[in-house]
Amino acid sequence: MARILITGAASALALTAGIASAADLTPFRFGTNWVAQAEHGGYYQAVADGTYEACGLDVTIEAGGPQVNGRALMIAGRLDAYMGGNMLQPFLAIEEGIPIIVVAANMQKEPQVIMTHPGKVATFEEIGPEGLTILAGDGGFQTYYPFFVETAGWKRENREPYTFNSAPFIADENKAQQGYVTSEPYAIEQAAGWKPDVWLLADYGFESYATTIEMMKPFVEENPKVVQCFVDATAEGWYNYLYGDNAAANALIKNDNPDMTDGQIAFSIQAMKDYGIVDSGDALELGINAMTDETMTKFFEIMVGAGVIGSDLDYKSAYTLDFVNKGVGLDIKKKLTDG
């Protein structure tokens, strides 16, 4: 769990900024969906620099992992919010009558990629016709895979389960592998000594927000100020993490995940910038965390077309725009990047 004590000059600054005393802060438990990494940088930054405290929250980050079901913990009341993936799970929750609602989306683009061996295919469109075996996890097989069966000639029988072991992909040029643009390409290069070709699925029609902030509807209805504080502070955290001094946040990340390296962190941050994962599209004008009905509708139609969900789903009840699109943090970005 990530927390930080503000000391020295930082403590003085916090006091002059009017940060509430610890006794006045509202405890807030936030669960991530994987082990600590740069892709969670905005949250750790907002903890490290006191941004959550400044609006009245004592935030504890509870890191996820392969054996942690953070969404279930939130449903059970053991977390106040959860870091989701794309919008499919919230849609499915609505279908099942579970009152989950997305209040913000940290990533404008789904960072999911397919990797192939260097030069094996010249274009993304060749992956299906070439008959490559695609190593895809169960989640991917449920979301992006059926979309590309419909649009890119992929075959369901060409899928093999991805078990978070890249050795089969490295050893066989006739295999492709899923991954995050911010992570697996770096790991492959470190392990194999060559750079894989990387195909960002968002560039080929699989458009969804990602790294969403999920909460339970009753919590949101009862605590709108808490929700707004967390959403706004997270946006500011992301701007400071991407464009400012992120050393303290990275120290917290490595404390929660001792296996994380400086090289991986640097690669992930650069990839988020290069591909516009966090700060692109609507976020450029509306601020990080931006969401629109248009993008939500497009992803809903993608999932309906792929046969994953029904067309009668009340998908708009899976999210709210009440806490986003206010331009929060744009002034921070301008200050940090103008110089």
Side-chain angles (χ1 to χ4, degrees), residues 1 12 14 18 36 44-45 70 74 82 124 161 188 249 257 271 276 288 333 339:
M1 296 184 294
Y44 282 95
Q45 185 77 30
M74 180 184 68
Y82 175 66
F124 178 82
I188 294 296
N257 180 10
I288 287 174
K333 178 183 177 181

Side-chain angles (χ1 to χ4, degrees), residues 78-315:
R78 293 171 59 185
L79 294 174
D80 298 309
Y82 175 66
M83 187 191 91
N86 59 42
M87 285 300 301
L88 179 61
Q89 288 301 323
F91 287 170
L92 292 175
I94 294 301
E95 192 172 57
E96 296 169 5
I98 302 171
I100 287 174
I101 191 165
V102 171
V103 299
N106 297 164
M107 293 185 175
Q108 290 292 298
K109 293 182 180 180
E110 166 74 70
Q112 191 73 240
V113 299
I114 290 294
M115 298 178 294
T116 55
H117 280 244
K120 179 62 178 178
V121 294
T123 66
F124 178 82
E125 290 74 16
E126 294 178 12
I127 292 175
E130 283 292 320
L132 299 184
T133 297
I134 300 173
L135 301 172
D138 291 342
F141 193 58
Q142 187 181 32
T143 52
Y144 65 79
Y145 205 101
F147 172 71
F148 289 112
V149 168
E150 296 295 325
T151 63
W154 292 13
K155 293 180 173 57
R156 294 182 182 276
E157 58 268 25
N158 286 354
R159 179 252 183 170
E160 285 186 7
Y162 173 52
T163 61
F164 300 95
N165 175 13
S166 293
F169 166 68
I170 292 173
D172 187 350
E173 67 172 10
N174 291 311
K175 293 184 186 291
Q177 182 196 300
Q178 75 170 42
Y180 268 15
V181 70
T182 50
S183 181
E184 276 78 5
Y186 178 83
I188 294 296
E189 183 178 357
Q190 297 302 301
W194 43 263
K195 294 182 179 181
D197 289 338
V198 174
W199 313 96
L200 185 69
L201 300 188
D203 290 341
Y204 300 96
F206 189 74
E207 299 180 49
S208 172
Y209 296 119
T211 307
T212 56
I213 298 175
E214 300 180 4
M215 298 182 186
M216 302 303 291
K217 286 183 181 179
F219 181 88
V220 174
E221 292 167 355
E222 295 167 10
N223 302 278
K225 291 183 179 179
V226 169
V227 176
Q228 193 69 70
C229 169
F230 186 75
V231 170
D232 289 352
T234 298
E236 293 181 10
W238 270 112
Y239 283 115
N240 283 312
Y241 186 75
L242 290 175
Y243 304 114
D245 182 356
N246 53 28
N250 289 335
L252 287 179
I253 289 171
K254 290 189 289 184
N255 182 69
D256 275 2
N257 180 10
D259 292 331
M260 182 55 60
T261 66
D262 291 334
Q264 176 68 78
I265 288 174
F267 178 90
S268 298
I269 293 172
Q270 193 60 50
M272 284 190 282
K273 292 180 178 180
D274 290 345
Y275 287 89
I277 299 299
V278 175
D279 191 15
S280 66
D282 293 319
L284 297 177
E285 293 187 1
L286 301 177
I288 287 174
N289 285 334
M291 301 190 300
T292 66
D293 288 325
E294 180 182 10
T295 299
M296 291 292 189
T297 299
K298 185 177 295 185
F299 183 67
F300 170 70
E301 291 173 347
I302 284 172
M303 291 292 92
V304 171
V308 177
I309 53 178
S311 60
D312 59 345
L313 179 70
D314 180 19
Y315 70 96

